[in-house]
């Protein structure tokens, strides 16, 4: 068996192991699925009437991209706690004693998070359709949307991996959820940035979540992309490369 094939087989094993852990953890279900759905429903039904006055489109159509981004962020944040728990319990040290590649351990967490996120996003989308979401994207726009969602998923997941390796325990690693929610709420995910105070508006319009949300929204609703797609690719590529390099350095330091 070649080195690449062996590494992929080990990654598959680690992915299965992490999937079984997630399926047996009801907290993951609440954090990854129920919380984003409830957030979307609260905004649509409780605040939707007032929010509709601030947008040019139906508020449910406006909010769904933000809910998807929030869901992906929360799903990926669970990875940080999972990696930190493995380190704290000595599981990573046990893996070191086995003849497996070091990258397969991290890759297993990343692929597991991607699979878990995929199913969570599907559930969010189904609920959105049930409450009145009406996308009108073409086939090419849907494919582009899927590509952006995957790119963002890999980006935020590797950020979560690095964050989990950086923190001293799963409790500290779980704090990443707070930052995900902060950046998502202070973007155009749930309200137009024009409604924010000037100092918050500057931040909201110059952080990565806003172009990501705007790209997804405009693709789904067949609106002009302007420069949002370009900014999304730049932001995600920069953050993904940086997070990957940091994660590998932190992992090598942890296992020494």
């Amino acid at each position: 068996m070649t080195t690449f094939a062996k590494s992929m087989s080990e990654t598959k094993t680690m992915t299965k192991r992490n999937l079984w852990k997630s399926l047996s953890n009801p907290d993951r279900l609440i954090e990854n699925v129920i919380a984003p759905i409830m957030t979307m429903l609260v905004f649509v039904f409780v605040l939707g009437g007032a929010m509709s006055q601030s947008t040019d489109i139906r508020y449910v159509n406006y909010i769904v991209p933000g809910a998807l981004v929030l869901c992906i962020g929360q799903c990926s944040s669970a990875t940080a706690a999972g990696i930190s728990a493995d380190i704290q319990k000595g599981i990573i040290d046990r893996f070191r004693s086995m003849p497996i590649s070091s990258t397969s351990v991290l890759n297993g967490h990343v692929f597991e998070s991607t699979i878990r996120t995929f199913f969570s996003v599907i559930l969010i989308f189904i609920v959105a359709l049930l409450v009145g979401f009406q996308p009108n994207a073409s086939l090419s726009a849907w494919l582009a949307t899927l590509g952006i969602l995957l790119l963002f998923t890999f980006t935020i997941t590797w950020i979560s991996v690095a964050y989990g390796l950086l923190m001293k325990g799963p409790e500290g690693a779980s704090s990443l959820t707070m930052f995900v929610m902060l950046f998502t709420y202070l973007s155009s995910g749930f309200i137009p940035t024009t409604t924010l105070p000037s100092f918050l508006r500057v931040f909201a319009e110059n952080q990565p979540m806003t172009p990501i949300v705007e790209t997804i929204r405009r693709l789904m609703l067949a609106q002009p992309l302007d420069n949002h797609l370009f900014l999304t690719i730049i932001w995600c590529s920069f953050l993904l490369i940086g997070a990957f390099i940091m994660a590998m350095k932190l992992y090598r330091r942890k296992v020494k």
Side-chain angles (χ1 to χ4, degrees):
M1 183 180 291
T2 64
T3 302
F4 177 77
K6 182 175 180 293
S7 177
M8 291 303 297
S9 177
E10 293 164 355
T11 297
K12 181 180 178 181
T13 300
M14 291 296 173
T15 302
K16 288 182 178 179
R17 175 247 177 192
N18 293 322
L19 281 173
W20 279 115
K21 282 183 60 181
S22 293
L23 290 173
S24 62
N25 187 352
D27 293 343
R28 291 280 176 91
L29 175 65
I30 295 174
E31 181 181 9
N32 297 169
V33 180
I34 297 178
I37 288 177
M38 292 304 297
T39 300
M40 180 177 66
L41 294 179
V42 166
F43 272 86
V44 170
F45 291 111
V46 178
L47 304 176
M51 294 296 186
S52 296
Q53 301 176 11
S54 302
T55 61
D56 297 328
I57 58 178
R58 294 178 64 238
Y59 188 61
V60 64
N61 289 341
Y62 185 89
I63 197 179
V64 168
L68 292 175
V69 168
L70 180 63
C71 174
I72 293 173
Q74 290 184 318
C75 286
S76 301
S77 297
T79 304
I83 289 180
S84 186
D86 283 349
I87 294 174
Q88 190 178 64
K89 295 177 181 178
I91 295 176
I92 298 294
D93 291 331
R94 297 178 191 176
F95 289 150
R96 285 180 57 205
S97 65
M98 301 177 183
I100 61 176
S101 62
S102 58
T103 56
S104 65
V105 178
L106 299 185
N107 289 337
H109 279 284
V110 171
F111 283 107
E112 180 273 334
S113 178
T114 302
I115 295 171
R116 176 163 41 84
T117 300
F118 177 77
F119 284 103
S120 298
V121 166
I122 290 177
L123 290 176
I124 290 283
F125 190 75
I126 291 174
V127 173
L129 291 175
L130 292 175
V131 298
F133 179 51
Q134 296 177 337
N136 56 351
S138 62
L139 177 60
S140 59
W142 278 116
L143 293 175
T145 300
L146 178 61
I148 293 299
L149 290 173
L150 286 174
L151 176 60
F152 176 63
T153 298
F154 275 113
T155 300
I156 194 67
T157 300
W158 275 108
I159 290 174
S160 298
V161 170
Y163 194 83
L165 292 169
L166 186 64
M167 294 294 103
K168 295 182 178 180
E171 294 81 8
S174 298
S175 65
L176 181 60
T177 302
M178 176 185 66
F179 293 103
V180 169
M181 295 177 66
L182 177 66
F183 274 79
T184 306
Y185 288 139
L186 291 180
S187 71
S188 63
F190 296 94
I191 58 173
T193 57
T194 53
T195 63
L196 296 172
S198 57
F199 66 98
L200 286 179
R201 181 179 177 181
V202 172
F203 172 79
E205 293 179 348
N206 293 278
Q207 56 113 334
M209 290 298 192
T210 292
I212 293 170
V213 169
E214 285 296 328
T215 299
I216 297 171
R217 178 181 293 130
R218 290 167 185 245
L219 285 170
M220 285 184 170
L221 302 179
Q223 295 177 343
L225 290 173
D226 296 333
N227 65 337
H228 294 294
L229 177 60
F230 173 75
L231 291 175
T232 295
I233 294 174
I234 293 297
W235 268 114
C236 286
S237 299
F238 174 77
L239 292 173
L240 176 59
I241 294 172
F244 177 79
I245 294 173
M246 180 177 292
M248 296 308 297
K249 287 184 176 180
L250 289 171
Y251 182 73
R252 294 190 187 99
R253 186 183 304 170
K254 289 283 185 179
V255 301
K256 281 186 179 179

